[in-house]
């Protein structure tokens, strides 16, 4: 959890209070930045992926930090993320974009220095390979 004191702006002024930023706040900011990166299909795996997708559709919800883990110190933070990428997107270029978006968002909003972003690409999303196809009347079983 990041914690710092805020002054009135001039040197020698008294401290005007303490600001604390919870780890979950940093994870949420990073998660939103990742989801907004073109080429990222989803963030998180399994249950966290499903929960994040549902939460992201609910009005007023950010989708939280599902699939995003952070370590927050007093002045720095590190981020670990699991993502599924869209087929055809150069993964090394996407990783650079994700790092840039997360760094910009977290540093701008929190003042923390992002020192590391570890990206685990766990799957490639192939269009038309969704579970929705099973709902379209096709049976997934080969025999009945």
């Amino acid at each position: 959890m990041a914690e710092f004191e805020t002054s009135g702006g001039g040197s020698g002024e008294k401290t005007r209070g303490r600001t604390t930023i919870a780890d979950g706040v940093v994870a949420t900011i990073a998660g939103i930045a990742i989801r907004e990166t073109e080429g990222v299909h989803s963030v998180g795996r399994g249950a966290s992926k499903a929960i994040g997708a549902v939460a992201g559709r609910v009005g007023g919800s950010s989708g939280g930090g599902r699939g995003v883990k952070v370590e927050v110190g007093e002045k720095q933070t590190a981020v670990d993320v699991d993502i599924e990428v869209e087929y055809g997107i150069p993964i090394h270029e996407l990783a650079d974009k994700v790092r840039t978006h997360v760094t910009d968002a977290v540093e701008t909003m929190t003042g923390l220095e992002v020192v590391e972003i570890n990206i685990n690409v766990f799957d490639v999303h192939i269009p038309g390979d969704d579970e929705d196809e099973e709902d379209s009347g096709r049976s997934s079983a080969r025999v009945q």
Side-chain angles (χ1 to χ4, degrees), residues 16-77:
R16 293 178 39 184
R18 182 176 303 278
T19 302
T20 304
I21 302 172
D23 294 7
V25 172
V26 177
T28 297
I29 294 166
I32 292 169
I34 294 162
R35 284 179 182 84
E36 290 178 345
T37 305
E38 189 175 334
V40 173
H41 179 72
S42 64
V43 178
R45 300 176 184 227
S48 70
K49 178 177 157 183
I51 291 168
V54 170
R57 290 186 198 125
V58 176
S61 176
S62 67
R66 310 274 192 273
V68 179
K69 294 181 180 75
V70 299
E71 185 177 330
V72 181
E74 288 185 31
K75 296 179 182 181
Q76 298 177 325
T77 187

Side-chain angles (χ1 to χ4, degrees), residues 2 4 10 15 18 23 26 30 41 49 62-64 66 84 88 103-104 118 120 122 130 132 136 138 141-142:
F4 49 92
T15 300
R18 182 176 303 278
D23 294 7
V26 177
H41 179 72
K49 178 177 157 183
S62 67
R66 310 274 192 273
E84 179 180 10
T103 300
D104 291 349
N118 297 309
N120 177 39
F122 67 88
D130 291 329
D132 296 337
S136 66
R138 283 197 248 167
R142 290 177 53 187

Side-chain angles (χ1 to χ4, degrees), residues 79-95:
V79 179
D80 296 326
V81 62
D82 293 332
I83 63 172
E84 179 180 10
V85 302
E86 294 287 348
Y87 176 78
I89 301 294
I91 294 172
H92 62 285
E93 292 176 12
L94 178 61

